[in-house]
């Protein structure tokens, strides 16, 4: 396979042995438009979430204003965990959608002690998305995760999305969340019984 074919495969999202370190154009960042995007946050109050959402909206200064409703609630049987529903911005470019999703995770992580994003596809055969804050980074300005069985890294300064190594085998989501984050995926069933609170803000997006 020549270099042009390899790069085309990377852009199309296909696995290649040399994918580690590759930075695709924004057009080929994960498209989570048709996913249910949530955050699970540990050690944070709903009052803190409300305040953080409003502060996040206040620092946005781009030209395109988009109303956004965020829903959040403590898990009924495990109130130490809060679930935050991320809006589905269908008219926003998927790269901006992804970027805001990760930026907001970093923003709220300032008040939580454990946190992660989990985006569930509407269709069963769609790729699952998982990310968490890279707490080894002293600047706390990056996330790491997995999408379509590929590791990735995202850094806020410069908006850098980078593929990591291609795993030899499928990622064990449930095992990682249990062992590293102390979250049992069975708790996701509790989100159907939550008493949701809502915060409405206006977010700003630039032209893509």
């Amino acid at each position: 396979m020549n270099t042009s074919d390899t790069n085309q495969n990377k852009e199309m999202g296909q696995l290649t042995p040399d994918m580690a370190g590759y930075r695709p154009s924004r057009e080929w960042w994960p498209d989570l438009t048709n996913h249910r995007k949530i955050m699970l946050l540990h050690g944070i109050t709903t009052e803190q979430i409300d305040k953080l959402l409003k502060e996040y909206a206040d620092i946005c200064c781009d030209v395109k204003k988009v109303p956004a409703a965020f829903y959040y609630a403590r898990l009924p049987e495990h109130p130490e965990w809060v679930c935050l529903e991320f809006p589905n911005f269908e008219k926003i470019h998927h790269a901006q959608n992804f970027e805001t999703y990760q930026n907001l995770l970093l923003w709220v992580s300032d008040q939580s002690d454990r946190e992660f994003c989990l985006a569930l596809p509407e269709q069963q055969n769609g790729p699952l998305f998982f990310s968490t804050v890279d707490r080894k980074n002293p600047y706390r300005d990056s996330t790491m995760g997995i999408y379509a069985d590929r590791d990735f890294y995202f850094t806020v300064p410069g908006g850098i999305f980078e593929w990591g190594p291609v795993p030899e085998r499928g990622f064990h989501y449930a095992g990682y969340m249990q062992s590293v984050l102390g979250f049992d995926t069975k708790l996701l069933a509790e989100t159907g019984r939550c008493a949701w609170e809502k915060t409405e803000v206006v977010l700003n997006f630039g032209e893509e």
Side-chain angles (χ1 to χ4, degrees):
M1 181 180 294
N2 61 39
T3 302
S4 61
D5 290 337
T6 300
N7 287 340
Q8 183 178 17
N9 283 342
K10 290 175 180 177
E11 294 289 12
M12 294 299 292
Q14 298 174 12
L15 294 173
T16 59
D18 61 340
M19 184 174 282
Y22 185 70
R23 297 178 180 181
S25 62
R26 290 172 64 86
E27 184 64 29
W28 300 106
W29 287 12
D31 187 348
L32 305 178
T33 305
N34 294 321
H35 284 58
R36 179 195 178 198
K37 294 176 283 295
I38 61 176
M39 298 178 193
L40 275 301
L41 310 161
H42 186 275
I44 191 172
T45 67
T46 53
E47 291 79 11
Q48 286 174 312
I49 290 176
D50 175 75
K51 181 181 179 182
L52 287 166
L53 289 172
K54 291 173 180 175
E55 289 176 347
Y56 183 81
D58 286 343
I59 65 172
C60 296
C61 58
D62 287 317
V63 296
K64 191 172 185 178
K65 298 184 181 299
V66 180
F70 290 88
Y71 292 86
Y72 47 89
R74 294 189 175 279
L75 298 186
E77 298 173 28
H78 296 82
E80 67 275 15
W81 285 98
V82 175
C83 180
L84 172 62
E85 293 266 2
F86 187 84
N88 192 5
F89 297 110
E90 295 181 351
K91 296 183 179 180
I92 298 299
H93 190 277
H94 73 265
Q96 292 177 304
N97 202 327
F98 168 84
E99 193 168 25
T100 304
Y101 190 30
Q102 297 309 284
N103 285 352
L104 187 61
L105 176 68
L106 290 165
W107 184 260
V108 298
S109 73
D110 186 55
Q111 298 295 323
S112 61
D113 54 43
R114 278 173 274 161
E115 61 287 312
F116 63 93
C117 288
L118 187 64
L120 309 169
E122 291 182 356
Q123 299 180 349
Q124 290 186 348
N125 61 348
L128 190 68
F129 175 92
F130 169 85
S131 71
T132 188
V133 175
D134 182 4
R135 288 185 173 267
K136 293 181 180 180
N137 175 357
Y139 299 106
R140 293 284 294 276
D141 59 4
S142 60
T143 65
M144 58 184 184
I146 194 159
Y147 176 71
D149 292 328
R150 287 163 289 179
D151 295 341
F152 73 83
Y153 307 94
F154 178 72
T155 306
V156 172
I160 299 171
F161 179 90
E162 182 176 288
W163 288 118
V166 178
E168 294 182 0
R169 59 183 64 87
F171 181 68
H172 190 221
Y173 291 88
Y176 181 90
M177 285 187 269
Q178 179 70 67
S179 62
V180 177
L181 298 168
F183 183 85
D184 188 335
T185 53
K186 294 179 181 177
L187 303 187
L188 292 172
E190 294 185 33
T191 62
R193 305 191 303 275
C194 285
W196 298 98
E197 300 178 55
K198 180 172 71 170
T199 293
E200 295 181 286
V201 295
V202 175
L203 299 184
N204 295 273
F205 295 88
E207 297 297 338
E208 186 69 23

